[in-house]
Structure formats: C-alpha cells, structure tokens
Amino acid sequence: MNVNFRTRGLAVMGCLFILSLLSSIVSAAAVPGEKAPDFSVIDAQGDKSSLTDFTGQWLVIEWFNKDCPYVKKHYGSGNMQSLQKKYTDQGVKWLTVISSAEGKQGYLAPDRALKVAKSHNLNASRPFLLDTGGDMGRAYGAKTTPHMFVINPQGTVVYAGAIDDNDSASPAVIASSHNYVSAALDASLKGEAISRASSRAYGCSVKY
C-alpha cells in the first residue's frame, strides 16, 4: 500500500513537472496583453536589432519564407509590401524575420537575403532579420509564415496571429478578406480598442 502511495506521489510530481514545462513554453510566446519577448538578431546587412531599439514606437514583426505559397500569396500580389509602406509611412516600424535554420528550406545567407529583399520590393524598416538559430522565433512562438505580431510603444503585444481571416493560398481572396493586422494598427493608432487581439496563424511551418 505504501508502494502504491509512493507511486501515485511520483506520478503527481511528474504531472506537475510536465505542467510547469508547458507553462514555461506558453509564457515564452508573445501573448497579447503581455510584454513582448526581447530579441537580438543580426539582419542581412550585419546590423543588430533588438526590441529595445524600438522602445516608444509601434512595431510589426512578420515571419517570412520566400518559397511558402502563403507568403507568395501576400508578396506576389503586393499586399504585404503595401501594408509595410502604408504603416511605415505613418511611423510604424516593421521587421521581417527569417527563422529557417541553415540547411533547412527557407534559409537565406545574408547576400542572398539582400537580393530577395530587393526582388520582393521589401518595404520593411530593416533588411531581413536572419534568426538562423531560431531563438527569436521560438521566443515569440512563431509557427507559420506569415505569422504576425503588433507591439505597442510600451513594448506590449497587442495583436498576435494571422495576417487576415482567409487561409486560402489564392491571392484572389485578399480583396474580400478582413485584414487583422491592418485593423489592429488602424484602431491602435487612433487610440481605440482592438476588436480582435489574436487569431490562429495560417501558412507554412517555420523550418527551425
């Protein structure tokens, strides 16, 4: 009987340990209403970008993989570049991140990343951030390309999730889709509440 009691006790402790691990994983992701995870990533030009560089500014972070059909949907149509220009023209900073590890699909060496930025007419505030170790992606809980985050000037996440409400890979649906990122930024910049602070991101898996 004592053995059973001891076994049950060990089982409970095991469950608590697993739950604590899951909790730490969840808390590591960028969650609306909580502080955005810090990061320190070198971009394609060799310059370092950190979250503190954008203190006091609105910031959008976007995950990218040039070969992903969903990324092609938004870049091939010019939708993503239009969003980048619209909001950077209003003072919002925009970072586009590649978290594909070297040897994995989507990885770009710095010189290649600069060429892709040019060929894609990237309107982000920096050339691609090259998160080859995946630390930034894992800290934010980035799972797909694209996966979008909006951070306010106080460093708090105000939106996390998909770019819009239509997970088709066809660019034909963009015009009739509700863009969550645009809605979050438009409301925030007017000082209004965001109607939807999170959604399920769709796209290709990030190749860590």
Side-chain angles (χ1 to χ4, degrees):
M1 190 169 194
N2 288 337
V3 172
N4 288 339
F5 181 77
R6 189 180 301 115
T7 301
R8 289 175 186 171
L10 290 172
V12 170
M13 290 176 64
C15 289
L16 290 173
F17 177 70
I18 291 171
L19 286 173
S20 69
L21 285 179
L22 290 173
S23 176
S24 66
I25 290 170
V26 170
S27 64
V31 177
E34 297 185 3
K35 286 290 183 184
D38 199 4
F39 57 85
S40 182
V41 176
I42 301 297
D43 67 31
Q45 286 184 323
D47 298 321
K48 185 175 72 175
S49 287
S50 302
L51 180 64
T52 52
D53 296 339
F54 304 96
T55 300
Q57 303 174 89
W58 284 94
L59 175 65
V60 175
I61 303 179
E62 165 213 346
W63 262 262
F64 177 95
N65 179 334
K66 71 178 181 62
D67 297 319
C68 170
Y70 299 93
V71 172
K72 290 181 177 179
K73 165 190 173 183
H74 290 291
Y75 273 89
S77 63
N79 182 49
M80 191 69 83
Q81 300 95 321
S82 295
L83 287 174
Q84 292 165 347
K85 185 173 191 322
K86 175 181 177 181
Y87 292 105
T88 56
D89 282 352
Q90 297 180 56
V92 175
K93 301 299 181 184
W94 192 297
L95 299 177
T96 304
V97 185
I98 300 173
S99 287
S100 297
E102 187 170 3
K104 296 288 184 69
Q105 189 270 325
Y107 167 80
L108 293 176
D111 58 342
R112 177 65 175 146
L114 289 175
K115 292 177 182 176
V116 171
K118 185 175 182 180
S119 66
H120 282 62
N121 298 313
L122 191 71
N123 284 323
S125 303
R126 299 276 194 279
F128 292 114
L129 267 60
L130 303 179
D131 176 40
T132 55
D135 293 342
M136 181 179 179
R138 292 188 179 92
Y140 276 74
K143 299 182 183 306
T144 64
T145 54
H147 197 157
M148 312 294 298
F149 300 86
V150 179
I151 300 167
N152 72 13
Q154 292 73 46
T156 301
V157 178
V158 298
Y159 175 77
I163 183 171
D164 62 28
D165 66 349
N166 197 320
D167 62 3
S168 166
S170 171
V173 304
I174 291 175
S176 59
S177 303
H178 176 66
N179 193 294
Y180 294 135
V181 176
S182 186
L185 285 168
D186 287 344
S188 296
L189 294 175
K190 294 176 184 173
E192 300 173 355
I194 295 174
S195 60
R196 182 159 186 168
S198 65
S199 64
R200 182 183 62 83
Y202 69 84
C204 308
S205 62
V206 177
K207 310 298 189 294
Y208 291 110

